[in-house]
Amino acid sequence: MRSPSFFPRPQPLLLLLLLLLSVRSVWAQEPTGAALSGPPVVPDCPEACTCALVGQANCSALALPAVPAGLSRLLRELLLDRNRVRALPPGAFAGACALLRLDLRENGLRSVHLRAFWGLGALRWLDLSANQLETLEPGTFSPLRALRSLSLAGNRLALLEPAALGALPLLHALSLQDNALSVLAPGLLAGLPALDALRLRGNPWVCGCALRPLCTWLRRHPRSASEAETLLCVSPGRQTLSPLTAFSDGAFKHCAQPLAARDLAVIYALGPVSFLASLATCLALGSVLTACRARRRRRRTVARRPPRRPPDPGPDFDGPASSADPGSPAAQA
Ligand SMILES: *[C@@H]1O[C@H](CO)[C@@H](O)[C@H](O)[C@H]1NC(C)=O
């Protein structure tokens, strides 16, 4: 005879067994289901592109006028070189958050929106070479925190603000070759602590004080003699070419040292303080002057009155006479 306390136990056990069996069958079915549906999981390929390798979309040389829409979040590599993408709008690569490599060479690219690269936090290689970029907005590359290599070679950049690159902690290769740069902004290299390969050839560098940070960087990062020889700057005034690496720190002795934070604070404080001080001095001088004048005038009137008094016919004549005094209107004015 079963006791009532034993009775409920077999039921949960049976349920557990059934559950286990069903889970096992689901596990067993999944791979077979995938195998039946044909090729392995391929990220959805952008239209017109070919996706031979998993995670790689080859959209090279297809005369595409824009970045394909609806990029997959499984995409690792996007080859968009030799197309006709003239502008990158905000969020151009939205969705492709796992992208590691982006090739945008030879597109005739003229403008890159400030938020074009938003969402590409994993990107390591970005090639923007052989385009027609003239400027880059501040913050353009700041979402690319994982960027290792950036090429801006063969564009028309005449100025590269440090804020355009921002702080790229992992960037080790930067190419600025064949642009129109004459100086490198002082703060630019400061935001790139991992940089060790900097390509600078083919720019009209001007040998001047503004080149000091670059020369300092070059001295700390020696390069092959053949490459160093090709890094030339044009002396202002003279048309002589000098290698950038030839400038020692002594060559910049005549240049003003950059100001320290304390100096700047003093300079900023000095402006308003000197303004207030000059205002106070003016007021004080003005009041002293008017006081002196008033006293002198008073003395003069006091000195003039006694000689007039004797011919004075009466006390009632005194009032009109003083108002007719030539010194009086001036005193009122
Ligand atoms: C991409 O496609 C083009 C043309 O179809 C081909 O020439 C090129 O080799 C491909 N690139 C890669 C990396 O597969």
Side-chain angles (χ1 to χ4, degrees):
M1 227 180 98
R2 281 172 181 169
S3 95
S5 63
F6 275 122
F7 195 63
R9 275 192 186 167
Q11 255 188 346
L13 257 171
L14 234 160
L15 271 170
L16 212 94
L17 230 151
L18 274 170
L19 236 161
L20 268 172
L21 272 171
S22 63
V23 164
R24 215 183 249 181
S25 64
V26 164
W27 280 349
Q29 262 172 14
E30 241 179 25
T32 48
L36 282 173
S37 67
V41 194
V42 170
D44 17 350
C45 199
E47 213 182 326
C49 310
T50 50
C51 300
L53 293 167
V54 175
Q56 189 202 62
N58 186 349
C59 316
S60 298
L62 294 172
L64 297 177
V67 177
L71 295 173
S72 164
R73 62 186 178 82
L74 298 174
L75 205 59
R76 294 301 188 96
E77 203 171 322
L78 180 57
L79 308 178
L80 267 170
D81 54 297
R82 290 170 289 140
N83 279 290
R84 289 178 197 160
V85 182
R86 303 282 191 256
L88 293 179
F93 307 94
C97 53
L99 204 63
L100 296 176
R101 183 187 292 271
L102 176 56
D103 190 347
L104 280 161
R105 272 178 300 152
E106 293 179 55
N107 269 280
L109 200 60
R110 284 167 196 274
S111 75
V112 174
H113 192 273
L114 167 64
R115 294 190 289 275
F117 297 123
W118 273 26
L120 295 181
L123 198 73
R124 292 184 180 204
W125 298 277
L126 175 58
D127 195 341
L128 287 167
S129 62
N131 281 297
Q132 289 168 29
L133 297 170
E134 285 176 16
T135 54
L136 287 163
E137 284 196 68
T140 302
F141 299 109
S142 51
L144 310 176
R145 303 292 295 174
L147 202 64
R148 309 292 205 273
S149 165
L150 171 64
S151 179
L152 290 165
N155 278 281
R156 297 174 180 178
L157 297 169
L159 189 73
L160 189 59
E161 295 283 349
L165 290 181
L168 297 172
L170 303 175
L171 192 78
H172 78 87
L174 173 64
S175 179
L176 299 172
Q177 204 173 303
D178 301 316
N179 274 283
L181 297 164
S182 58
V183 296
L184 204 65
L188 193 116
L189 296 167
L192 312 173
L195 193 69
D196 54 22
L198 177 59
R199 291 181 174 273
L200 300 162
R201 277 196 296 142
N203 282 286
W205 302 113
V206 172
C207 316
C209 290
L211 227 53
R212 184 182 201 156
L214 179 57
C215 290
T216 308
W217 190 92
L218 287 172
R219 241 176 294 121
R220 289 194 194 132
H221 298 79
R223 50 192 62 218
S224 66
S226 60
E227 203 194 337
E229 272 168 26
T230 61
L231 278 181
L232 303 172
C233 63
V234 185
S235 303
R238 288 163 282 159
Q239 285 302 309
T240 48
L241 292 170
S242 322
L244 281 181
T245 46
F247 293 95
S248 67
D249 211 33
F252 296 100
K253 274 217 175 96
H254 65 287
C255 302
Q257 287 287 338
L259 290 167
R262 217 181 58 188
D263 302 332
L264 279 175
V266 167
I267 288 168
Y268 284 131
L270 221 62
V273 164
S274 64
F275 170 72
L276 287 175
S278 56
L279 205 74
T281 312
C282 278
L283 280 172
L285 270 175
S287 54
V288 163
L289 228 103
T290 39
C292 279
R293 249 190 216 168
R295 197 188 286 173
R296 207 185 299 156
R297 218 166 277 138
R298 229 179 292 137
R299 261 194 220 147
R300 217 182 287 155
T301 46
V302 166
R304 270 181 203 168
R305 261 175 206 169
R308 267 189 195 180
R309 279 266 161 97
D312 208 354
D316 51 322
F317 196 65
D318 194 34
S322 68
S323 70
D325 190 347
S328 211
Q332 274 165 3

